[in-house]
Each structure stands twice: as structure tokens, then as C-alpha cells.
Amino acid sequence: LGCLRYCLVLAIFLYVAVFEMWAMGGYLQSETIVGVIRFSLQQPTVDNCDPSKAQCFNAFSPLNTLPYCEQYERKISNASYKGKSYPCEIYEATNAQIV
């Protein structure tokens, strides 16, 4: 009777582990993704302050120092950027919604 019990337990284990989990992928049940994504951009500021505060100032890099901008001056050497150059503009929070 004890041997029969162990054989049945082994059979159940093999059914669950081998057939359901491995062969049928029972542990891979997929569900639809539900959620909300929020994305916001903020201009660079001095000391990473809150741009909505009056005492907070912008800290934009000059466009002639950014190698991906057409305004970039080649005499400033930055050989690490190999991509294409694009016309760059700076938009503050008041102008950003127009784009």
C-alpha cells in the first residue's frame, strides 16, 4: 500500500511538472497589460531646481557646444560623436507646447 502511494505521488508530480509546466507551458500564462504611463520633459536648470519657482534659472548648454547640432563649431573637438547634425532650437516651458 505504501509503494502504491509513492507511485501515485510520483505520477502526480510528473504530470504537473513535466506535462503541465514543461510541455504545455502552464507557468507561462500571459495576461493583458493594464496601466498608465506618464512622461514629462523638463528643461535643465541650475542645481536641478523646480522650473516653476521664480528663483530657478535655466542651464541650457550653448548650441555651438553640442556636436549633434548644425550650430556646432568644429574647432571644439569632440571626435566621439559620429552621427548626423540637425538644426537645434531651445524652447522654454512657455514655447514648448507650440511644437
Side-chain angles (χ1 to χ4, degrees):
L1 211 52
C3 187
L4 179 62
R5 177 178 178 264
Y6 288 125
C7 288
L8 289 175
V9 168
L10 180 64
I12 291 170
F13 173 77
L14 289 175
Y15 170 75
V16 171
V18 174
F19 183 72
E20 286 292 327
M21 301 281 274
W22 183 63
M24 300 299 291
Y27 65 97
L28 296 174
Q29 184 176 0
S30 62
E31 297 289 331
T32 57
I33 298 174
V34 178
V36 177
I37 297 173
R38 179 179 171 176
F39 181 80
S40 63
L41 295 174
Q42 177 179 315
Q43 72 264 29
T45 56
V46 176
D47 296 328
N48 294 322
C49 61
D50 183 2
S52 63
K53 306 281 187 201
Q55 63 273 18
C56 185
F57 298 100
N58 292 328
F60 290 109
S61 297
L63 298 180
N64 65 350
T65 62
L66 302 172
Y68 50 85
C69 291
E70 285 182 352
Q71 296 92 331
Y72 178 64
E73 295 176 6
R74 300 290 175 218
K75 63 184 176 192
I76 302 170
S77 66
N78 186 357
S80 63
Y81 183 74
K82 304 281 189 229
K84 186 175 179 184
S85 296
Y86 296 96
C88 295
E89 296 182 33
I90 293 177
Y91 291 98
E92 293 189 40
T94 56
N95 298 352
Q97 296 174 3
I98 299 171
V99 176

